Amino acid sequence: MRFYLCACALMLAMATGCAGTKTAAVEMQALEDFEVSYIGGIGEGSDTPTAMPDVTPSDEQAGTAAHQIEVQVLRMSLADARKNFGKRVTEIGAFSIESNPVELKLLRDIPILSAPRVTIYDGQTGVIQITNQISYISGFEFSGEKSTRIADPIVDVLNEGLVLSVKADKRGEGRVHLELELLLSEIAKPIKTQDVKLLGAPMTIQTPVAMNQRLTAKGEFDEDRTLVLAGMIGRDDEVTLLLVKSAAIEIEPAKQQPKDE
């Protein structure tokens, strides 16, 4: 009986200790030298395609130095974001964190929406695009004579998702200068509807509403750390974070083929 009581007391102490242990948030260091600007707002869904940045790769002559850019897109509740990254996660800005905690701690517990990679030459621009097309009925088109008119729905398409352009320049050993432009666009769901009457007949059209957020940032940071772009809060108070890692790689120049004599 005494052994049973001791065992129960030990298990209770262990459970209490485990319950009292909290996972410490990752320390985010503000990159004071980074220039960051942000524009966000609600608009008509019809404005979304034109809001997407149209970025094409640079035509500059490629060198032998290149950068492998990996972007991890995380989305979580506001409570989880503060628990894992601290209170500053809702601040618009650029931060850096150690790479190891990101891989060993966070990425095991937090769902990753996407983790694309792009390889660009030094001084060139690359584009990462993760978008989804949404169809909706924007209106009706009538055809036929008055007595036999038919209303055909007009179907338009919207783009929502993420578009990121990134330019990298090597700045000394282990340092990189990044220029980033990010657009995050979300269509409110379900899409709102509006009842109208056309030639006396009741019709229903859809009036999408989009939340667009645009963030630009540029500055230097150490390649052994991970860049965090924070402060983007979307629908249902969900927080979207971008984790950017850059690694310099050397590309051997292409060998010239010998000319025929």
Side-chain angles (χ1 to χ4, degrees):
M1 183 67 178
R2 181 178 297 178
F3 174 78
Y4 175 76
L5 293 175
C6 292
C8 289
L10 178 61
M11 293 177 63
L12 179 61
M14 292 177 62
T16 304
C18 292
T21 302
K22 294 184 179 180
T23 303
V26 172
E27 182 182 357
M28 297 203 312
Q29 296 182 4
L31 296 173
E32 303 294 347
D33 295 335
F34 252 73
E35 298 179 17
V36 179
S37 63
Y38 172 85
I39 299 175
I42 303 294
E44 295 182 0
S46 57
D47 295 335
T48 304
T50 57
M52 291 288 187
D54 183 15
V55 182
T56 55
S58 171
D59 292 331
E60 298 175 11
Q61 186 175 359
T64 57
H67 306 265
Q68 186 176 74
I69 309 296
E70 179 180 354
V71 179
Q72 293 165 330
V73 185
L74 308 181
R75 176 169 291 182
M76 67 206 81
S77 67
L78 181 58
D80 287 341
R82 286 175 173 169
K83 180 182 71 175
N84 289 287
F85 290 89
K87 294 182 179 179
R88 302 195 69 179
V89 74
T90 57
E91 296 180 17
I92 296 294
F95 305 86
S96 74
I97 59 178
E98 293 184 8
S99 293
N100 286 339
V102 174
E103 298 171 355
L104 300 180
K105 173 183 175 295
L106 293 178
L107 300 187
R108 291 183 304 182
D109 304 327
I110 298 177
I112 303 176
L113 292 183
S114 184
R117 294 183 180 181
V118 61
T119 300
I120 53 177
Y121 285 103
D122 195 57
Q124 289 189 322
T125 301
V127 179
I128 294 173
Q129 183 167 327
I130 308 167
T131 56
N132 179 42
Q133 289 189 333
I134 298 176
S135 301
Y136 71 102
I137 299 175
S138 61
F140 290 88
E141 189 174 58
F142 290 91
S143 61
E145 300 296 332
K146 290 184 179 180
S147 58
T148 59
R149 281 189 173 179
I150 299 175
D152 296 319
I154 300 174
V155 179
D156 285 337
V157 177
L158 295 176
N159 293 317
E160 72 168 357
L162 178 148
V163 179
L164 174 69
S165 68
V166 55
K167 179 180 179 181
D169 292 284
K170 187 175 179 62
R171 298 291 174 88
E173 190 64 29
R175 297 279 293 176
V176 63
H177 181 274
L178 291 181
E179 295 183 16
L180 306 108
E181 181 179 3
L182 165 70
L183 175 71
L184 183 64
S185 180
E186 298 176 278
I187 305 298
K189 299 180 183 63
I191 297 178
K192 291 184 178 181
T193 59
Q194 181 179 351
D195 295 328
V196 297
K197 278 192 175 183
L198 298 175
L199 299 180
M203 301 286 179
T204 300
I205 62 174
Q206 294 176 296
T207 56
V209 176
M211 174 180 286
N212 295 324
Q213 301 183 77
R214 186 186 296 270
L215 187 147
T216 60
K218 61 179 179 179
E220 291 186 26
F221 79 108
D222 295 327
E223 288 187 312
D224 61 352
R225 295 181 66 84
T226 297
L227 173 67
V228 179
L229 298 181
M232 290 168 289
I233 303 177
R235 292 182 290 113
D236 301 324
D237 287 337
E238 286 188 323
V239 177
T240 299
L241 293 175
L242 254 70
L243 278 58
V244 183
K245 291 190 284 187
S246 174
I249 57 177
E250 294 292 332
I251 298 180
E252 295 183 0
K255 296 181 179 180
Q256 294 183 353
Q257 296 293 332
K259 296 181 180 180
D260 296 334
E261 294 183 358

